[in-house]
Amino acid sequence: MRMKFYTLVSILISAAITLPSVGAQGRGDAIVIRNARIFTVTKGVIENGSIVITGGKITAVGASVSAPGGARVIDARGLSVYPGMIDSGTTIGLTEVGQGAPGTVDTSEIGDNNANIHVDIAVNPESSHIGVTRVNGTTTALTMPRGGLIAGQSALINLDGWTWAEMTLKARAAMHINWPGGLGGGFEFGGGQQRAGAELRREQDRRIEELKKILRDAIAYGNAKDARARDASLPRMETDLRLEALVPVARGQMSAVIHAQVERDIKKVIAFADEMKLKIIISGAVEGWRVADQLKAKNIPVIIGPVNRMPNREDDGYDAVYTNAAMLHKAGVKFAFQTMGSAEARDLPYQAGESAAFGLPKEEALKAVTIYPAEIFGVADQIGSIEVGKLANLIITDGDPLEIRTQIKHLIIRGRDVPLTSRHTELYDKYKSRP
Amino acid sequence: MNQSKRTRRYLECAGLLLLLLSPLINAPLARMDSPGVYAIREAQIMVSPGKTIAKGTIVIRDGLITDVGENARIPADARIIEGKGLTVYPGLIDAYTNLGIAQPQQQEQQRGGGRAQGAQLSPEAQQSLAEAALGDPSDSIADDLRPGGTAIEDARSAGVTSALTSPRQGIFLGRSALINLSNMDAARMVVRSPVSLTIQFSTTSGFLGGYPNSLMGTVSYIRQSFYDAIRYSDELDRYERIKRGVPRPEHNKKLAALVPALRGELPVLFAANTEGDIRRALNIADEFKLKPMITGALYGYRVADLLKQKNVPVILSVNFPRRPADQADDDEESLRVLRQRAEVPKGAGRLAQAGVKFAFTAGGASPRDFIANVRRAVENGLSKEDALRALTVNAAEILGASEQLGTIETGKIANLVLTSGDLFAKETTVKYVFVDGQQFEIKRPETPDPGRGGARPAAAVNPAGVWDLNLQTPQGEIGIKLTITREGDQLAGTMTSPMGIVTLKSVTISGNQLRATVSIPAGGDNLEGTIVGTIEGDSIRGTMSLGAMGSFEFTGSRPR
Amino acid sequence: MKKMKAITSIAVTLALSVSALGQSGQSAASSETLIKNATILTASHGTIKNGSILIRNGKIAAVGVDVKATDPNARVIDATGKYVTPGIIDCHSHTASTGSINEGSMSVTAMVRIQDIVEPEHPNIYRQLAGGLTTVNVLHGSANAIGGQNAVLKLKRGKPVNEWFVADAPPGIKFALGENPKRSNFQPQPGQQRRYPATRMGVEEVIREAFIQAKEYMAEWQEYEKKKGTDSKAIPPRRDLKLDALAEILQGKRLIHAHCYRSDEILMLLTLGDELGFKIKTLQHVLEGYKVAKEIAAHKAGASTFADSWSYKMEAFDAIPYNMAVMASRGVVVTINSDSDERARRLYLEAPKAMKYGGVSEEEALKMITLNAAIQLGIDHRTGSIDVGKDADLVIFSQHPFSVYTVPEMTFIEGEVYFDRKADLEGREALKREKEALIKAERGQTGPGQKKDDRPDPNLRPKESPKDQEDINR
């Protein structure tokens, strides 16, 4: 009974995550994929191999495997199997129509400190974006809150399920912090160089101090709670939901995704994380390549994207955003890709592909949408590669999934062979046959 | 004999009186209706670019130069200025300024029926603001000169004796005037009017949604105005011709004011710095066969050949782009911007080389920087002779006053500058200035300009609180609320105006000087505003500049 | 001081010459250029393997497998293993412009012209050239039911701006339907009146009224032309720049590029055009075009769309990436546009989405960013495909242009190189050095106002008194 308060909480959370998930339709059925070229991502390529899926998981992979009787066979002759792709930053499920329909948008809460909100419970399983995204090969996405200085907690969701609970792979995946200021480095043509004047710099520093204070408060709060759990004679203390949510972050137990783009900000983020002893992931990082060595030295993972944007500085090479990933890779920084959107999420593979066009090895590009994000978010034991014991999140394609012309032939999420339909295919089918 | 002696004594007395009054010379009481007679002797005289008298005399009487030469006779009634060691230049001309422009006057402010209620502007006030943004081609600055303030004195102290002046707000800036920077009443300052119809490519800044709120709209607006003037002129001609049985044209002073420009009788001066603006101006001039002139033209060197080919006179700004003061070392500037800053000061030399005729304007920079900036043009490839030409003869020619101004010749207006040496040498100072034959002593700033690093160590006042400001615009007062909060030494705040509530981008206090910047969303664009005010107790007064809308004075208080 | 200046000027000269080589148009010493051993995607007559293109005087002089230069000094580019396509054409761009692209003060602004605000210095121009883009249809924004006049430009970076205009491109104009002209996603400022119209019905009436005015205006001019010379009272009517543009539409001289989303508004405009006697040249965005593809084809309107953007607002919620394929299958001339400088530099990766979604052929997909765009802009007689006699507007790609791994390596406009990746990479060091030299030279300088921020206003609006100026800029 002398269990620490937070240990208890984390046990409860992990229990929630590992609750036996009631499969969507067909989830329990066994499937065997035959005659496929299997890109395991972590264990090489298996030519003409098979994969057995039972109970939503991969139970066998190899050149010759034995399938349980009654398993449905997918003949993948001439096709390839890849792990389902992972988008490391989206708002899928939280937004439907960007402008003019605020009722469909749940991305940004009011206020500066929204540490307590967690998006998993607001994911709309019926969102048309889910189907549209997954039919292009993304099976898992980090969906995240966007508003305030501390935006709240993201969730890793599988893009299939009857309810948000079924979809959730990892609730409270990370705490999202929008780095204050976001200053300088860019330019506005005609408006002159975008400058970080002294006042703006002071303002940024003030906000960073604010953030530090909140985190220090969280530590004190957590310690006090622990102390009270040990010693019931201590006076009762008021619950502060925001600080409570920040305790694991402040203790370095929960990752903080800090959204920062430019060199100066990233450097400040690194120093901040060092001082506060946080476990961080940097998101955005359009100028990550400028600080690649420092990121490597601190082993800070980076989530790149969207890659489809203009270089940050006028004098950057025209290809500066495309080469960002290659330069981070060269420095040994771990990275993944994100689309930072919802409607745009189906184009995730092309972000990796375009980075490969500009110097990133193709295998690395594939890893950055499969195993790397799984590692970064601590779910590599469940997704990110084709290995026995992992969730059966797979795509069967007629070619390289990073190539635009490639077609997805099967999409399997947690063992379910998900129909390749979406709001878009439905509208297409309807109007294509208009007389 | 007696008579002449008496006259002399009288004049000596007058001279003494003048001397006694000289500290007050700028006060209206000291205005001299009959200028004296002067002889500047033994001075080096820069008669005109390339023509120098090593040691000579200039005689001034009744505002005019009556004699110049090595052996010019000094009249007995002249007061003598010892010119030994001094150099006399023709008075310098700043060929584009806003000197003598009226500040919004109290009566005008009241006209709007007092302060606009709450955060709303009446439709009439909106209309009025939109009209002000368009300007009025029939405005004549010569009819509305309001000398006063220190701007004219500052310019004169830098050796500038004449200036073209033009209003500041609007697309059609009306008709400009060439004025002498004396301290006489407005009517007597005017040398020539109108000099040009002046046009700038400004917009309504989306302010209250008026047309045009885009650059392309502005171009269309200007073009349509000229087409309307053509039609108006046709209607007037027909009416003049036939009278019976034809519609009587309305009386339209705005359109009528464009007709002389269409007939080539009045040059059209376009304010245009960039290559794009210059091309826009020349396209319009071509379309309507106008006589164009360009003022600004910082990037005019890029189209030097075009300007030469079309024989377009240029009034070149020497307010060269500079590295912004608050640019931090890790704020990168682009190569394009750096190249521009290196190239623009070479522009004057390039225009000269291409054979473009040009004068100079300080371009809105401090008059004290005017000659210093011209010197930079000289360091960057412009010959001293061409620089002097631009400041004097060329300016006089371009502004249509070459018979009166620009050289030191008999019969011309006695506008002269006496310097300690070569005008373009760094250490040279201006000793005396004559405008319309009237002598001015040069005031020198005794204390370093506070804007130049001489920060006063005064303790800062606390600006926190809610300030009610009355912004004085030509359309009446507009009520604005500034809410300023202070935490430690950090200041922040909001501004409530008819445009809504916005957070102040920055707030600083230095001594009792409050400065705030604000970005007001207006029709998709942002209107950048700067508020500068002096706080005394619970009252404040100052200026708010609002992008292209211009600057407006305000007063206000902090109710406790 | 002096020495530093000298060093700077040498550095500048050096760097300028390098950058001229690397980043702007340059003419070869010879009037001929031969691109040989390439896979040529002509966009008009299939793919030529191991083919060559001879460029002479800015035009394509020969295309085929056995093409040789006639000039022994011809520049020869060995494109073995590489792919050549026509220069990419973007049918909906707002690039290379300065100031607002919306004159949003009124619902009809046919008098304003993009040609008045072309800005050749913008850094995005080079970035788009690096994406193989050669020609753009720069359009007015979509705030107004009838917007302003367009400009068709070739991105001749480094050339005087008057050389950018495609002289024989028929003039055009922007229309807009739906949410934008009815301003449903815009908050009026406090005190500002809401602008008419606020419904799709109102949008139709605004357009109808404008054309009725234009017809009356045309009649007024015709009357004058008849009376002129005989009637001494006849003077030319007021020339109205807005109605001039609308009259040109009715005379078939000005092409309509109409921003639209929903099928109802698309059909409305086609019907209104039939009623009032004007044709729609292109429907822009036209995200629900697939629902009325038959009607669009019957009107002979082109469709210029996004490949796969959707749901960014209500009227884009039914957008599907199969739109291109459905419209093309019904005989509509389809293009894929950018509406963004960023997307414009990867249109070659948007086109294959037409293949992915709905199975359009490779050549048809390529046409959607080249020849079809030229047709929609009325410039297919001179660009848009690799055919003898056309402008040598070409792109060399490292791999198949539709592969995500491809990199555009060279971009030609009228035979001149405006982008060369190799030169770009080689020139970067020199540009860096130039920049360092300029910074060093500038920091060493002293002079008036060096401490101050008084960058000149581009429009030169000097302040009343120098004192104000200092206060304001401190």
Side-chain angles (χ1 to χ4, degrees):
Chain A
M1 273 336 278
R2 299 196 61 90
M3 195 186 287
K4 280 189 179 179
F5 172 76
Y6 268 93
T7 320
L8 181 70
V9 169
S10 53
I11 283 173
L12 285 174
I13 289 174
S14 55
I17 289 167
T18 52
L19 277 177
S21 45
V22 183
Q25 187 187 358
R27 185 144 287 144
D29 303 348
I31 297 175
V32 58
I33 303 165
R34 296 268 185 217
N35 307 317
R37 188 163 194 226
I38 302 169
F39 289 80
T40 67
V41 172
T42 44
K43 299 195 166 161
V45 180
I46 303 166
E47 301 290 346
N48 213 4
S50 298
I51 300 171
V52 180
I53 300 163
T54 45
K57 293 200 171 178
I58 299 166
T59 47
V61 184
S64 62
V65 297
S66 57
R72 192 160 70 82
V73 176
I74 297 174
D75 183 1
R77 197 176 300 273
L79 302 177
S80 305
V81 187
Y82 292 86
M85 289 181 278
I86 304 168
D87 192 332
S88 297
T90 72
T91 49
I92 291 177
L94 303 177
T95 174
E96 203 64 25
V97 175
Q99 195 178 31
T104 68
V105 181
D106 289 286
T107 51
S108 301
E109 193 44 87
I110 291 168
D112 248 5
N113 183 353
N114 292 312
N116 50 329
I117 67 164
H118 50 108
V119 303
D120 49 310
I121 49 83
V123 170
N124 174 12
E126 200 59 52
S127 167
S128 59
H129 293 240
I130 293 170
V132 165
T133 303
R134 71 182 169 214
V135 298
N136 212 21
T138 297
T139 55
T140 307
L142 184 84
T143 190
M144 56 193 183
R146 303 291 296 127
L149 181 62
I150 302 175
Q153 302 166 58
S154 56
L156 272 168
I157 58 170
N158 284 321
L159 297 184
D160 182 46
W162 290 97
T163 66
W164 57 258
E166 278 183 30
M167 292 173 72
T168 302
L169 177 72
K170 186 177 185 181
R172 303 174 187 271
M175 183 67 71
H176 288 255
I177 296 174
N178 294 314
W179 193 244
L183 303 175
F187 72 93
E188 297 163 55
F189 184 79
Q193 208 75 4
Q194 180 195 331
R195 292 181 290 121
E199 288 139 14
L200 290 174
R201 281 160 191 265
R202 271 204 304 276
E203 169 67 10
Q204 183 185 35
D205 289 342
R206 191 178 67 77
R207 301 277 282 165
I208 294 170
E209 286 308 315
E210 234 173 70
L211 200 52
K212 287 182 188 169
K213 183 178 179 308
I214 293 172
L215 289 168
R216 288 190 190 111
D217 287 351
I219 295 225
Y221 180 88
N223 291 345
K225 275 241 157 169
D226 285 347
R228 198 180 129 68
R230 283 191 303 268
D231 178 357
S233 69
L234 287 171
R236 196 177 57 82
M237 59 185 287
E238 263 178 49
T239 300
D240 183 321
L241 292 173
R242 291 175 174 79
L243 289 181
E244 197 141 327
L246 282 167
V247 172
V249 177
R251 289 181 176 173
Q253 294 157 347
M254 182 182 190
S255 291
V257 173
I258 302 186
H259 297 262
Q261 296 285 4
V262 302
E263 180 183 6
R264 178 170 47 219
D265 286 352
I266 296 171
K267 283 179 175 168
K268 286 195 170 188
V269 169
I270 294 172
F272 166 80
D274 230 26
E275 183 187 337
M276 304 306 292
K277 301 191 176 56
L278 304 182
K279 188 174 142 196
I280 64 158
I281 299 161
I282 293 181
S283 164
V286 68
E287 290 192 350
W289 58 279
R290 291 183 182 272
V291 281
D293 291 340
Q294 291 166 62
L295 290 166
K296 173 61 196 164
K298 301 283 177 191
N299 267 322
I300 297 171
V302 170
I303 295 168
I304 303 171
V307 167
N308 288 331
R309 58 166 284 171
M310 283 296 189
N312 197 47
R313 306 187 191 190
E314 182 169 339
D315 291 344
D316 281 344
Y318 76 91
D319 53 2
V321 189
Y322 301 143
T323 55
N324 192 17
M327 293 177 75
L328 289 173
H329 165 67
K330 227 164 117 185
V333 177
K334 177 152 288 181
F335 61 94
F337 289 100
Q338 65 179 345
T339 55
M340 282 292 275
S342 183
E344 304 78 9
R346 67 170 147 207
D347 285 350
L348 171 73
Y350 317 140
Q351 308 231 1
E354 286 166 52
S355 298
F358 287 85
L360 181 67
K362 283 186 190 179
E363 324 67 80
E364 289 295 316
L366 183 61
K367 284 180 176 175
V369 290
T370 53
I371 190 66
Y372 289 163
E375 289 168 0
I376 290 171
F377 293 110
V379 288
D381 57 332
Q382 298 185 74
I383 55 168
S385 63
I386 301 179
E387 290 178 79
V388 171
K390 288 201 179 184
L391 288 184
N393 281 5
L394 305 171
I395 51 174
I396 304 178
T397 70
D398 66 356
D400 181 349
L402 306 189
E403 279 283 17
I404 296 152
R405 287 165 294 175
T406 296
Q407 301 286 5
I408 308 282
K409 298 295 188 182
H410 284 275
L411 169 75
I412 297 169
I413 298 179
R414 281 163 63 228
R416 187 170 93 98
D417 193 2
V418 181
L420 290 166
T421 55
S422 69
R423 179 177 166 79
H424 291 181
T425 62
E426 284 157 13
L427 282 165
Y428 173 49
D429 289 341
K430 177 177 173 185
Y431 282 94
K432 151 176 98 168
S433 46
R434 181 189 162 201
Chain B
M1 260 330 196
N2 253 356
Q3 180 76 7
S4 119
K5 223 176 207 168
R6 242 196 337 262
T7 310
R8 200 145 86 201
R9 179 163 298 155
Y10 171 75
L11 280 168
E12 274 165 7
C13 284
L16 190 68
L17 194 68
L18 190 78
L19 209 66
L20 286 170
L21 284 174
S22 65
L24 298 170
I25 200 123
N26 289 307
L29 274 177
R31 190 169 60 225
M32 299 207 18
D33 285 324
S34 52
V37 183
Y38 293 91
I40 302 163
R41 69 177 183 196
E42 293 191 31
Q44 184 189 19
I45 302 168
M46 312 301 278
V47 175
S48 60
K51 191 175 167 199
T52 310
I53 298 170
K55 194 193 248 183
T57 298
I58 303 168
V59 181
I60 299 168
R61 185 184 292 276
D62 294 335
L64 299 177
I65 297 166
T66 52
D67 202 359
V68 187
E70 283 172 16
N71 304 311
R73 202 180 63 81
I74 298 176
D77 56 353
R79 281 187 299 127
I80 309 292
I81 306 282
E82 287 300 344
K84 205 170 217 166
L86 300 182
T87 307
V88 188
Y89 287 91
L92 310 180
I93 302 171
D94 185 337
Y96 191 79
T97 70
N98 305 126
L99 291 169
I101 306 301
Q103 290 287 1
Q105 293 300 298
Q106 204 62 34
Q107 309 89 279
E108 289 176 55
Q109 291 150 21
Q110 243 81 76
R111 198 185 49 191
R115 184 174 166 186
Q117 279 303 304
Q120 298 279 324
L121 275 184
S122 67
E124 294 75 29
Q126 292 187 27
Q127 181 63 26
S128 183
L129 273 172
E131 274 174 22
L134 298 177
D136 182 343
S138 71
D139 280 351
S140 174
I141 187 60
D143 298 337
D144 201 25
L145 272 180
R146 308 274 174 91
T150 57
I152 286 178
E153 188 187 342
D154 287 349
R156 194 168 55 216
S157 301
V160 177
T161 58
S162 306
L164 185 75
T165 186
S166 181
R168 200 171 38 191
Q169 195 196 354
I171 294 168
F172 286 103
L173 294 168
R175 287 171 285 178
S176 64
L178 177 62
I179 58 171
N180 270 352
L181 303 187
S182 64
N183 60 356
M184 294 189 281
D185 59 49
R188 298 185 60 184
M189 290 170 73
V190 176
V191 176
R192 185 163 182 265
S193 173
V195 173
S196 69
L197 171 70
T198 309
I199 295 176
Q200 67 181 354
F201 295 109
S202 64
T203 71
T204 58
S205 303
F207 198 58
L208 302 162
Y211 172 80
N213 69 11
S214 67
L215 175 57
M216 60 188 165
T218 298
V219 173
S220 296
Y221 175 76
I222 295 167
R223 293 174 63 228
Q224 186 65 61
S225 299
F226 278 116
Y227 280 119
D228 288 350
I230 289 171
R231 164 76 184 183
Y232 186 62
S233 162
D234 286 350
E235 283 180 337
L236 288 175
D237 287 349
R238 176 174 64 181
Y239 190 62
E240 194 58 31
R241 217 162 16 94
I242 305 173
K243 291 197 179 69
R244 235 180 241 206
V246 294
R248 183 177 79 250
E250 63 170 11
H251 174 71
N252 188 325
K253 64 171 184 168
K254 290 188 183 184
L255 292 180
L258 296 178
V259 173
L262 284 169
R263 292 189 178 143
E265 295 159 8
L266 185 64
V268 179
L269 177 60
F270 290 92
N273 266 326
T274 62
E275 178 180 344
D277 275 352
I278 294 169
R279 286 184 183 274
R280 280 181 265 285
L282 297 184
N283 285 342
I284 291 170
D286 278 353
E287 185 172 359
F288 297 98
K289 299 189 174 57
L290 308 174
K291 264 172 72 182
M293 308 198 292
I294 303 289
T295 180
L298 278 172
Y299 300 91
Y301 61 90
R302 293 163 166 232
V303 280
D305 292 341
L306 187 66
L307 290 165
K308 173 61 193 166
Q309 178 209 322
K310 293 184 178 289
N311 253 322
V312 178
V314 168
I315 297 168
L316 183 62
S317 168
V318 291
N319 189 3
F320 304 123
R322 296 184 187 107
R323 182 178 167 80
D326 56 348
Q327 184 88 28
D329 282 345
D330 58 349
D331 266 332
E332 187 174 316
E333 291 185 287
S334 71
L335 181 57
R336 176 179 53 83
V337 166
L338 291 166
R339 276 179 182 165
Q340 281 172 1
R341 286 211 295 261
E343 293 302 297
V344 169
K346 297 176 189 159
R350 289 180 187 163
L351 288 183
Q353 207 170 10
V356 175
K357 181 183 267 192
F358 63 92
F360 283 127
T361 164
S366 158
R368 268 169 288 157
D369 287 346
F370 184 29
I371 301 307
N373 280 333
V374 172
R375 187 191 312 129
R376 252 188 100 194
V378 169
E379 288 163 3
N380 278 280
L382 181 70
S383 72
K384 282 184 186 179
E385 197 177 310
D386 282 340
L388 183 60
R389 196 185 312 278
L391 285 165
T392 56
V393 188
N394 278 5
E397 284 176 12
I398 290 171
L399 305 178
S402 55
E403 287 301 308
Q404 304 101 297
L405 296 174
T407 59
I408 304 178
E409 291 175 292
T410 301
K412 288 204 168 179
I413 293 172
N415 284 2
L416 301 169
V417 184
L418 279 68
T419 65
S420 62
D422 177 359
L423 185 63
F424 302 113
K426 226 173 211 169
E427 62 284 357
T428 298
T429 54
V430 174
K431 296 291 184 191
Y432 305 94
V433 171
F434 283 84
V435 183
D436 272 323
Q438 194 180 342
Q439 185 197 341
F440 292 92
E441 304 253 340
I442 302 309
K443 277 194 169 177
R444 257 167 245 303
E446 282 160 25
T447 49
D449 190 316
R452 314 245 155 163
R456 276 164 298 180
V461 304
N462 184 359
V466 179
W467 294 89
D468 286 321
L469 308 185
N470 291 341
L471 196 61
Q472 288 148 13
T473 77
Q475 287 70 39
E477 290 187 9
I478 297 176
I480 282 180
K481 203 182 275 292
L482 274 187
T483 306
I484 294 173
T485 55
R486 178 181 190 138
E487 255 181 75
D489 56 354
Q490 302 295 331
L491 295 172
T494 58
M495 182 182 97
T496 310
S497 73
M499 320 281 291
I501 301 181
V502 286
T503 304
L504 298 172
K505 283 205 306 196
S506 69
V507 190
T508 53
I509 185 93
S510 161
N512 61 349
Q513 287 276 322
L514 175 78
R515 183 173 186 276
T517 58
V518 65
S519 191
I520 305 166
D525 266 325
N526 278 342
L527 200 55
E528 300 299 327
T530 306
I531 300 162
V532 180
T534 306
I535 295 175
E536 247 141 55
D538 285 333
S539 61
I540 187 169
R541 65 171 53 244
T543 314
M544 174 166 190
S545 69
L546 256 183
M549 303 292 302
S551 294
F552 308 105
E553 290 185 342
F554 64 78
T555 55
S557 63
R558 172 169 54 181
R560 291 267 176 179
Chain C
M1 255 311 260
K2 216 166 203 170
K3 197 169 161 195
M4 179 150 4
K5 220 174 254 168
I7 291 169
T8 311
S9 83
I10 290 167
V12 169
T13 320
L14 194 80
L16 280 175
S17 58
V18 170
S19 78
L21 187 73
Q23 299 206 342
S24 65
Q26 81 186 96
S27 23
S30 161
S31 63
E32 281 192 353
T33 301
L34 183 73
I35 302 170
K36 64 173 192 183
N37 300 330
T39 302
I40 301 168
L41 309 181
T42 63
S44 57
H45 57 284
T47 299
I48 304 167
K49 291 214 161 130
N50 254 319
S52 300
I53 301 169
L54 181 64
I55 302 167
R56 189 184 301 130
N57 299 325
K59 299 275 182 193
I60 297 168
V63 193
V65 280
D66 283 320
V67 170
K68 300 263 179 306
T70 55
D71 182 348
N73 297 319
R75 177 181 188 185
V76 177
I77 297 166
D78 184 356
T80 305
K82 300 182 196 301
Y83 289 73
V84 184
T85 70
I88 295 169
I89 303 173
D90 186 355
C91 238
H92 190 130
S93 172
H94 302 294
T95 200
S97 57
T98 183
S100 174
I101 50 130
N102 270 306
E103 174 54 55
S105 55
M106 294 182 283
S107 296
V108 180
T109 55
M111 62 288 203
V112 307
R113 310 182 298 187
I114 293 292
Q115 72 181 65
D116 289 326
I117 56 163
V118 173
E119 168 54 68
E121 296 281 312
H122 200 289
N124 286 352
I125 293 164
Y126 181 70
R127 293 166 175 166
Q128 291 173 95
L129 283 164
L133 196 69
T134 55
T135 305
V136 290
N137 179 26
V138 185
L139 288 170
H140 184 279
S142 55
N144 311 335
I146 299 181
Q149 304 169 25
N150 71 334
V152 178
L153 307 175
K154 290 204 187 181
L155 300 178
K156 295 181 185 173
R157 184 171 175 272
K159 294 278 164 71
V161 69
N162 45 311
E163 295 177 29
W164 290 39
F165 294 90
V166 179
D168 48 1
I173 191 165
K174 179 76 171 283
F175 279 29
L177 313 176
E179 291 182 21
N180 290 6
K182 75 195 189 91
R183 313 306 278 162
S184 47
N185 299 318
F186 298 81
Q187 284 288 89
Q189 293 153 19
Q192 197 184 348
Q193 303 275 328
R194 272 196 80 184
R195 197 188 79 177
Y196 187 93
T199 64
R200 285 181 168 82
M201 297 84 83
V203 172
E204 190 216 29
E205 287 304 309
V206 163
I207 297 172
R208 183 193 307 278
E209 187 176 36
F211 275 104
I212 286 169
Q213 280 174 9
K215 287 182 174 186
E216 287 165 2
Y217 175 71
M218 288 163 83
E220 195 185 350
W221 272 96
Q222 277 160 8
E223 220 169 280
Y224 163 71
E225 291 298 334
K226 257 187 262 158
K227 284 190 195 160
K228 170 173 87 171
T230 56
D231 183 348
S232 67
K233 287 179 189 170
I235 57 170
R238 169 182 186 263
R239 180 149 176 221
D240 187 310
L241 295 174
K242 178 175 86 180
L243 298 177
D244 273 350
L246 296 175
E248 284 166 5
I249 296 171
L250 290 167
Q251 292 157 351
K253 290 190 239 166
R254 186 172 287 280
L255 311 179
I256 297 174
H257 302 290
H259 158 116
C260 55
Y261 281 84
R262 266 178 23 192
S263 62
D264 50 277
E265 67 199 22
I266 295 167
L267 196 54
M268 174 278 282
L269 188 64
L270 300 176
T271 311
L272 188 65
D274 291 344
E275 178 195 326
L276 296 174
F278 61 82
K279 283 281 174 196
I280 319 301
K281 184 64 179 181
T282 71
L283 294 158
Q284 296 286 326
H285 308 326
V286 60
L287 295 188
E288 288 188 15
Y290 67 96
K291 296 182 180 177
V292 283
K294 209 167 63 172
E295 287 80 358
I296 296 171
H299 187 94
K300 292 191 165 51
S304 187
T305 188
F306 294 132
D308 62 353
S309 297
W310 69 293
S311 100
Y312 44 93
K313 51 178 167 174
M314 273 319 300
E315 61 189 3
F317 193 51
D318 269 9
I320 61 173
Y322 302 92
N323 193 28
M324 304 168 278
V326 174
M327 290 193 293
S329 73
R330 301 276 175 150
V332 178
V333 175
V334 175
T335 59
I336 302 166
N337 68 48
S338 80
D339 198 8
S340 128
D341 290 2
E342 188 279 313
R343 193 182 285 116
R345 60 194 202 131
R346 52 184 171 89
L347 283 176
Y348 58 90
L349 295 184
E350 296 290 277
K353 290 174 182 169
M355 301 172 69
K356 179 187 183 79
Y357 299 105
V360 156
S361 74
E362 179 184 290
E363 180 151 293
E364 189 59 33
L366 180 62
K367 279 184 185 174
M368 290 183 179
I369 55 169
T370 56
L371 185 58
N372 285 1
I375 291 168
Q376 290 183 348
L377 298 176
I379 53 173
D380 52 312
H381 60 286
R382 63 177 298 164
T383 187
S385 62
I386 302 181
D387 283 294
V388 172
K390 286 200 179 182
D391 294 347
D393 299 345
L394 303 167
V395 192
I396 301 179
F397 286 90
S398 64
Q399 301 187 31
H400 191 290
F402 292 168
S403 167
V404 78
Y405 304 117
T406 197
V407 175
E409 294 190 339
M410 290 180 94
T411 305
F412 297 77
I413 299 175
E414 293 168 16
E416 293 187 31
V417 177
Y418 284 87
F419 169 70
D420 179 346
R421 178 159 166 85
K422 190 160 170 275
D424 177 291
L425 295 173
E426 286 167 3
R428 287 182 187 185
E429 192 51 40
L431 293 173
K432 206 175 133 198
R433 281 201 306 273
E434 179 193 354
K435 187 164 175 175
E436 283 162 4
L438 281 171
I439 291 168
K440 209 172 146 196
E442 193 175 68
R443 306 263 162 105
Q445 231 172 47
T446 52
Q450 283 301 308
K451 302 168 292 271
K452 279 177 37 203
D453 176 4
D454 47 6
R455 284 171 297 165
D457 184 318
N459 282 318
L460 187 73
R461 292 167 202 130
K463 298 291 184 297
E464 161 67 6
S465 107
K467 290 236 159 65
D468 285 351
Q469 174 86 344
E470 286 171 13
D471 282 342
I472 281 159
N473 289 317
R474 189 164 62 211

